[in-house]
Each structure stands twice: as structure tokens, then as C-alpha cells.
Amino acid sequence: MSEYLLEVKDLKVHYPIKGGFFNTTKDYVRAVDGVSIRIPKGKTYGLVGESGSGKTTTGKAVIGLNHVTDGEIFYKGEKMNSGKKVDVSSEIQMIFQDPYSSLNPRKRVFDIVAEPIKNYHRKSKDDLIEEVLGLLNKVGLPPGSLYKYPHEFSGGQRQRIGVARAIALNPELIIADEPVSALDVSVQAQVLNFMQEIQQEMGLTMLFIAHDLGVVRHMCEWIGIMYHGRLVEEGPAEEIFNNPQHIYTKRLIAAIPDTNVDNIERNLQRREEVRIEYENHFHEYLDENGKPFPLVSISENHKVALPPKGGEQVNA
Amino acid sequence: MTKFEDEKRKLDKQELNEDRERLDKDMHEKTHSTKNDSFSKDRTDATPHDIDTHMQANPGASGEGHGAIDQESLPRSTPGWRILIQEVIHDKLALFSFIILVVITSYVFGLTLFLKQSEIVFVDLFAINEPPGDTFRLGTDYGGRDVFGQLIIGTRNSLAIGFLVTGISVGFGVVYGVVAGYFGGHIDNIMMRIVDFFMVLPFLMVIIVYVTISPDYDILSFSLIMAAFLWVGTARLIRSVAIQEKELDYINASRTLGSSHIKIIFTQLLPNLVGIIIVNATLNLAGNIGIESGLSFIGFGFPEDTPSLGTLMSYATQTQTLRHRPWIWAPAAILILVLMLCVRNVGEAMRRAGDARQRNA
């Protein structure tokens, strides 16, 4: 148990659908419906899925921004949630998707980065300035940006400010919620590389939420693929990429663009095969509610949400 | 923004020696280069000009960070009040309005120290309806009372009521609205039903009844009874903006960084509502002076022995006064107009100062 920094067990986040004359609860949106994740210390876990699959909700639930309907969250073996509420911890921090809305436009960089330090430590102004300058240096921003406002920076620089704020408290777990999806491609690689550097330097564990499989392959050791609030496949990154078992994963991986021109024909053919298989058999992989089945272990680390009958469907 | 920084650099220039100036310029260029040259790992297209010269010029800055950076070479932070002043000074109309407002206010409040209200409102039947002249600068009304003195004291009373009512109602309304909007859910529901209750009360009727049955009321109690009904508009407005604003990620970010709800409301959310608060307060200030004048005009504000701009205006209800003695009511009308316009112009400049993206200075 202790080898995992973060353990999420059967997490469920449901939102009520209100309606009718008395505004009663008619049904629930099951945004996250039974997700279990284990992240070993120092590793990066990539959570992938289409939009609306509940990956961001999962991340936000872990850090306490969403209520938890059911399930348990353990951090370092300690339970973080009691009832609906999840405790906020200085050791878990988040990097937000949108570098534009996640920085308060009225605050200067100094105020933004110093905010977490002020919350947890009592420090003099000079010490704070020194510490913030150190953090800015770490994320590659010049000291001159200390008293600038967020709107004076580009998207990539803003995301760096977001990272500086997230690492200000020396956290152990960082939840990165699509940290580069709002940036253009030339800046994406820059930010990703620098996040990797910081991760290695500080020994961070990361829950990396993304929808870009290329980015995830670049960043993550472990991958979980979500569909409609549940995991469909989970395992080490290489295993998932080389030996995908679930049809949904297969199709996702087939969709990754290849820059090698010689492979065009082969890729097209492969995609077509996967597409036909997907269209003919995808419904077999879902239960009567349109949700994936529970995960089944097929090897030591590799888990797939296969239909209850076992491997027959896969071969069909 | 660039203008703003140039201004700042001008201010700092005297203190900075040459070395620091160069450093500042380097930083300036670095952060403004669109290509982010200084950040990219492989700076293939970097010209010698782009290369980070301040690293060589000032080895301290390239150190480990903690304690190694020469703090004096950093650009100074501009305090909020200075930004506000800069903005008002930059906008000539606002500056002009502000000066007029200050002159009128200080003149009125200063002069009332030497004027006795009882003397001004003393009825002198031998000097009724006199046109402006040597004895009475703005003439007299039908009671032989000096219009100029009444104007000064009336302006003071009206301004005092305007500021008091606005201060109380906007202050309370903002806190109420922002709390309701931020927390949402049941708290919001309950708080807004209370607001609805106040909104359905016919507030002019209540004030008129209060004025009629209350034996004596002064500026403070009159302001309080007005503010008791006027905060609801502000509360509703601020709540709706707070609901929009709290959905933004920086509020979430503050939660994950360990800030308490109260701290988020007052240090994160509220600064982003400053613009709308100032606009609202300005409009309310103008409106509240108007409401007071209106109540006095129809005879339910202050009695004649407590002059206000409204009581002076109400003399115009007599046809004779309206047609033949404009010196009684016209100065009050002009003063109301000038005050409203000045307040509005200054408020507009302050709203811009509150939003870094709209600043002109």
C-alpha cells in the first residue's frame, strides 16, 4: 500500500439532474463512475480520454475541488476524503488547463506565486521576494517579471507562472489538468520538457490529464484510458501503446498521426481495419447503460475492461 | 502597458545608475520579445542582441536564486493608489471634474463652518423675493432668506446624504452580494429571498411614512432609512457578477493553494469586481442625491429650515417663482447637474484604473 503515493478506490462523482415542478432530483449525471487509480511514487500517470469522459472531474475530485459521491482517496496511505468533502493538502497541487483564467488578472506575479507560501508559512516580505525569485528562476522567467501582471505574458509564460505557483510549496503530487492543451504546438514541447525537468529535479509524482496521446506517451510511465466515467484500459505506457486490448484504445492509438510519409498506405489500411472492428464490435464492450465493464487483469500490470465472457470477444 | 512602464522607468531613472538601466532594458526586451527567445532551449535564431547580456553584466542574477539576486535592480512595484492617481491625472476631463468636485466640496464644507443655519433660515419679511444684489449675492426667497447661504448649506446636506447613503448601501450590498454569489446553493437562495422581500416593499412610501410620523430626524437617520432599501440593487448586481467570476479557474487555484473562503472572497474575488463596484457606487451617488432632492422637492425630505438642494428646487413648484425668480432655483439645478457630471467623470477614470487592461496612463 505504501509504495503508491496516491490511491483512488472506486471513485464516483455524480451530479444530480434537477427538474420538474418541485425541482426534484430526476437522475444523475455519472461523470465519474467507479474509477480506481494507483500512482507509484515519482512516476507520471497519464489519464486519457475524450472530452466529457470524466478525467478532469477525477483530477479535481482528488484535489478537493469537486465533491465525492462515493469511493475513497488515499494519499500516502491516509484517507483524504470524509463523506463528500476532500481535504486540501499543501502536498497536492494542481496545474490548470487554461493559463488565462487560472491567473487572477488583478494580481501581480509576485502575489500569485507568493499566495501559497503566505498561506502555509509566516515569512517576511524580503524572504518572500527571495523565494518567489527563486521559483521564477526555476521556471525560467526573468526576475523582472516579479511585479508584472499576467496579461503582460504570453500563454507559455503564463503556464510557467502556474507551474511556479504549483511547486511553491514543494508538493509531492501534482495534478496537471491538460497543462498544454491551451498552448500552441511550438510552446507545448517547451512547457512539457521543462515540466519533465522539474519533475526529475524535485522528484514529483504527477497525475497527467490529457487527451493528446502523443503528449502522454512523451510524459507518462503509466496510462489509464477513460470512457464515459470509467477506465477501459490501464497499464504501463509501452504496454498500452504496443499491445492495446480494448477496441476503444486501439482506435485511439490508430488515430495518432505519423509523420513518416512511407507509412501512409499502411496506416490508412490499419485505421480502416480498426474502424470496421470498432463499428462492428464496440457495443459488445459496453454494458446495458453504455458504460465500459469493470477492469480485468490480463497480465501483471495490464488491466482491460473486457466483456464478462472473457477473451472470446477480443478474438472475434 | 508600455506607456505605463515607460512612465515608471522615467520615475525610477534618477535612482538608477547606468548599469541598472541597461539591466532594466534587457529585461524589458526579453519579456517583450514575442518569440520567447530567452526561454527556448535551443536558441538557434538568437541574434547577439537577443542573448541574455545581463547575465554577463551581472553575475549575481544568474546564481541559484535564493539570495543571489540583486534586489535593488528589480523594477519597483507601483502601489495601487499611485495607479489610481496616474489614471485620473492622465484623463484631463476626469482631472478637471475632480478639481471642480474637490473645490465645490471643500468650499461648501469650509464655508458652512462660518455660516449659521439658524441665521440663514431666519425669516425676514422686509426682504422677500429680492433679486441678486449687494446684500444678498443670490437674492432671497419668499421668506426673505438668503438663497446663497441656503445653497451652500443645502449642497453640504445633500452631499453628506449622498455620500452616507452610498457608502452604507454599497458597502453592505457588496459584501452581501459577493457572499451570496460565492457560496451559492442554499445560502444564496436564502439570502436572495431576503433581498426579494426588500425589493417588493414600496420604499418611497416607507420613507414618506417615516418622515411623517418621526418627530425629528437628522441627516444620519434619514440616510440610514434610505440605505436600508437601496442596498438591494447593489447586492443583486454584485451577486450576479460574483457568480460569473467564481467559475474562473483562479478561484479554484486559490482553493488548492490553501486559501480560506473569506480570504478568497476578499483578496481574489473582490478586486476583480472593483470596476463594477465603482461604477455602481458612482451611479448610486448621483442617484441618491437625486432621490433626496426628489423627496425634498415633493415635501417629504427635509423641512425648509434644513435646506438641501431639493428644498431649493421645490420653490420652483410655485409658478411665480418658476417664471420670474430663477435666482432661487436655477443655481441649485445647475449645481446638481455639475455635481452629477463630475462624479460620473471621476468614477469612469477610477473604473479604468481598476482594470489593468483598460488603463490609459
Side-chain angles (χ1 to χ4, degrees):
Chain A
M1 192 153 182
S2 55
E3 64 181 301
Y4 297 108
L5 190 72
L6 179 79
E7 257 192 300
V8 177
K9 282 185 181 166
D10 202 25
L11 180 76
K12 286 180 185 167
V13 181
H14 294 178
Y15 294 105
I17 301 171
K18 297 270 177 91
F21 189 69
F22 291 107
N23 206 20
T24 46
T25 304
K26 297 288 177 205
D27 197 3
Y28 291 94
V29 177
R30 293 171 171 78
V32 178
D33 202 22
V35 165
S36 301
I37 293 172
R38 289 188 295 186
I39 309 179
K41 198 166 164 36
K43 301 281 186 214
T44 307
Y45 186 103
L47 206 52
V48 195
E50 60 188 30
S51 97
S53 60
K55 48 194 195 305
T56 299
T57 314
T58 309
K60 286 194 168 170
V62 169
I63 202 167
L65 289 175
N66 277 338
H67 70 272
V68 171
T69 311
D70 198 15
E72 289 167 315
I73 296 165
F74 294 97
Y75 173 75
K76 284 185 175 172
E78 277 175 45
K79 198 173 170 189
M80 295 294 288
N81 63 321
S82 52
K84 281 190 161 188
K85 282 186 72 177
V86 183
D87 297 337
V88 172
S89 159
S90 68
E91 292 183 11
I92 308 179
Q93 289 299 325
M94 186 156 182
I95 299 169
F96 287 85
Q97 174 175 10
D98 182 1
Y100 294 89
S101 74
S102 64
L103 301 177
N104 192 337
R106 295 298 169 97
K107 298 275 170 183
R108 297 165 303 187
V109 171
F110 169 73
D111 300 315
I112 291 171
V113 180
E115 187 192 346
I117 309 171
K118 280 187 201 154
N119 281 337
Y120 288 97
H121 307 286
R122 193 167 287 275
K123 287 206 167 150
S124 72
K125 179 117 200 242
D126 287 347
D127 288 351
L128 271 178
I129 290 178
E130 226 170 73
E131 198 160 341
V132 170
L133 283 173
L135 286 162
L136 291 182
N137 187 39
K138 215 176 216 170
V139 299
L141 288 172
S145 20
L146 195 61
Y147 292 120
K148 285 192 171 142
Y149 285 89
H151 71 97
E152 298 175 49
F153 294 92
S154 68
Q157 287 171 311
R158 280 164 164 249
Q159 200 58 296
R160 284 165 192 266
I161 299 171
V163 173
R165 173 174 66 180
I167 61 173
L169 290 168
N170 288 318
E172 297 203 26
L173 175 67
I174 286 209
I175 294 167
D177 180 11
E178 306 198 25
V180 294
S181 65
L183 307 174
D184 67 74
V185 182
S186 62
V187 187
Q188 278 189 5
Q190 228 188 72
V191 172
L192 287 174
N193 284 334
F194 127 87
M195 276 174 70
Q196 253 180 348
E197 274 167 36
I198 285 194
Q199 183 188 14
Q200 275 157 17
E201 201 183 308
M202 300 180 67
L204 294 171
T205 310
M206 243 198 267
L207 175 60
F208 194 89
I209 299 165
H211 55 242
D212 186 336
L213 278 168
V215 167
V216 168
R217 189 172 203 171
H218 179 75
M219 293 290 292
C220 305
E221 286 99 350
W222 287 76
I223 290 180
I225 292 175
M226 282 187 79
Y227 180 77
H228 280 202
R230 284 186 191 166
L231 282 168
V232 295
E233 195 157 357
E234 186 190 28
E238 283 316 303
E239 176 84 10
I240 298 268
F241 277 103
N242 298 328
N243 184 22
Q245 289 299 313
H246 199 276
I247 181 65
Y248 184 72
T249 320
K250 281 184 195 169
R251 188 136 197 233
L252 273 183
I253 288 167
I256 300 175
D258 189 349
T259 46
N260 194 342
V261 199
D262 302 333
N263 295 340
I264 289 179
E265 288 300 318
R266 212 149 49 89
N267 281 336
L268 276 179
Q269 201 192 344
R270 193 164 49 87
R271 268 177 213 153
E272 191 59 20
E273 279 169 22
V274 173
R275 186 182 70 82
I276 292 167
E277 192 190 344
Y278 180 86
E279 280 172 5
N280 291 336
H281 296 286
F282 186 52
H283 62 275
E284 294 165 14
Y285 284 85
L286 302 177
D287 61 15
E288 64 270 26
N289 294 324
K291 296 259 181 191
F293 292 102
L295 291 174
V296 186
S297 292
I298 60 162
S299 73
E300 198 192 335
N301 291 326
H302 196 165
K303 290 179 188 169
V304 191
L306 292 177
K309 281 165 204 158
E312 295 165 34
Q313 303 278 2
V314 180
N315 301 329
Chain B
M1 173 197 86
T2 346
K3 253 195 275 169
F4 167 66
E5 288 206 340
D6 285 337
E7 200 83 30
K8 201 172 65 188
R9 247 193 305 150
K10 249 184 267 164
L11 286 171
D12 287 345
K13 208 166 251 175
Q14 292 97 352
E15 305 163 14
L16 296 169
N17 57 38
E18 264 183 25
D19 194 12
R20 285 195 199 136
E21 231 181 280
R22 187 149 52 89
L23 169 63
D24 209 19
K25 200 174 145 216
D26 281 344
M27 287 172 185
H28 198 70
E29 274 161 15
K30 250 197 331 165
T31 37
H32 285 259
S33 66
T34 43
K35 289 188 126 185
N36 269 346
D37 289 324
S38 48
F39 304 129
S40 62
K41 278 178 153 183
D42 44 349
R43 247 186 299 173
T44 45
D45 57 346
T47 59
H49 181 71
D50 280 324
I51 288 173
D52 208 347
T53 46
H54 95 268
M55 290 291 198
Q56 297 150 9
N58 188 355
S62 61
E64 274 300 296
H66 290 273
I69 291 163
D70 177 17
Q71 290 203 5
E72 286 179 21
S73 67
L74 291 170
R76 296 272 178 277
S77 71
T78 317
W81 56 266
R82 196 190 280 177
I83 293 171
L84 215 71
I85 291 171
Q86 276 172 355
E87 185 65 34
V88 173
I89 287 173
H90 185 82
D91 185 345
K92 292 292 173 272
L93 185 65
L95 183 66
F96 184 64
S97 304
F98 184 70
I99 291 170
I100 291 182
L101 200 62
V102 168
V103 166
I104 290 178
T105 314
S106 50
Y107 182 71
V108 159
F109 278 85
L111 208 56
T112 45
L113 294 178
F114 305 106
L115 289 174
K116 277 217 177 88
Q117 191 170 306
S118 53
E119 266 173 37
I120 296 291
V121 299
F122 185 74
V123 177
D124 181 4
L125 290 177
F126 296 104
I128 58 170
N129 292 335
E130 273 189 28
D134 287 341
T135 344
F136 303 105
R137 257 180 279 183
L138 283 172
T140 55
D141 64 3
Y142 73 93
R145 290 167 289 208
D146 181 17
V147 172
F148 179 75
Q150 287 193 68
L151 189 69
I152 297 302
I153 290 184
T155 311
R156 185 206 58 183
N157 288 346
S158 287
L159 278 176
I161 288 177
F163 283 121
L164 261 177
V165 173
T166 310
I168 298 167
S169 67
V170 170
F172 185 74
V174 162
V175 173
Y176 194 93
V178 89
V179 166
Y182 176 79
F183 287 107
H186 291 302
I187 295 176
D188 179 39
N189 226 335
I190 293 166
M191 288 177 87
M192 281 301 117
R193 292 301 79 74
I194 295 170
V195 166
D196 289 347
F197 170 74
F198 273 95
M199 291 205 96
V200 297
L201 292 179
F203 102 92
L204 276 180
M205 288 304 294
V206 176
I207 291 178
I208 286 171
V209 169
Y210 168 79
V211 166
T212 317
I213 60 173
S214 173
D216 54 333
Y217 51 90
D218 54 5
I219 291 177
L220 184 67
S221 57
F222 192 72
S223 303
L224 277 174
I225 191 92
M226 268 175 77
F229 293 95
L230 289 169
W231 63 272
V232 288
T234 310
R236 273 168 62 107
L237 178 80
I238 296 301
R239 168 191 171 260
S240 66
V241 190
I243 285 176
Q244 278 175 29
E245 202 68 27
K246 73 151 185 181
E247 294 300 325
L248 293 179
D249 263 343
Y250 69 84
I251 301 288
N252 280 337
S254 270
R255 288 292 303 144
T256 66
L257 297 171
S259 302
S260 64
H261 286 302
I262 295 297
K263 205 171 169 188
I264 293 175
I265 288 178
F266 289 104
T267 66
Q268 303 282 334
L269 194 52
L270 219 47
N272 280 288
L273 306 180
V274 162
I276 196 99
I277 292 171
I278 287 177
V279 172
N280 184 258
T282 315
L283 291 176
N284 276 2
L285 177 60
N288 292 339
I289 296 177
I291 291 175
E292 187 278 326
S293 305
L295 278 170
S296 300
F297 182 76
I298 58 172
F300 292 105
F302 287 104
E304 273 177 19
D305 61 351
T306 310
S308 78
L309 292 175
T311 53
L312 280 169
M313 290 282 289
S314 70
Y315 289 133
T317 47
Q318 291 165 309
T319 335
Q320 284 295 314
T321 310
L322 181 65
R323 291 189 60 184
H324 302 299
R325 295 174 211 117
W327 64 83
I328 294 177
W329 52 267
I334 293 167
L335 207 54
I336 289 179
L337 193 70
V338 169
L339 283 176
M340 301 299 90
L341 281 174
C342 289
V343 168
R344 187 214 152 266
N345 288 339
V346 176
E348 194 67 12
M350 295 213 293
R351 186 183 60 76
R352 278 203 309 275
D355 190 339
R357 282 161 298 187
Q358 292 186 24
R359 273 173 215 156
N360 291 335

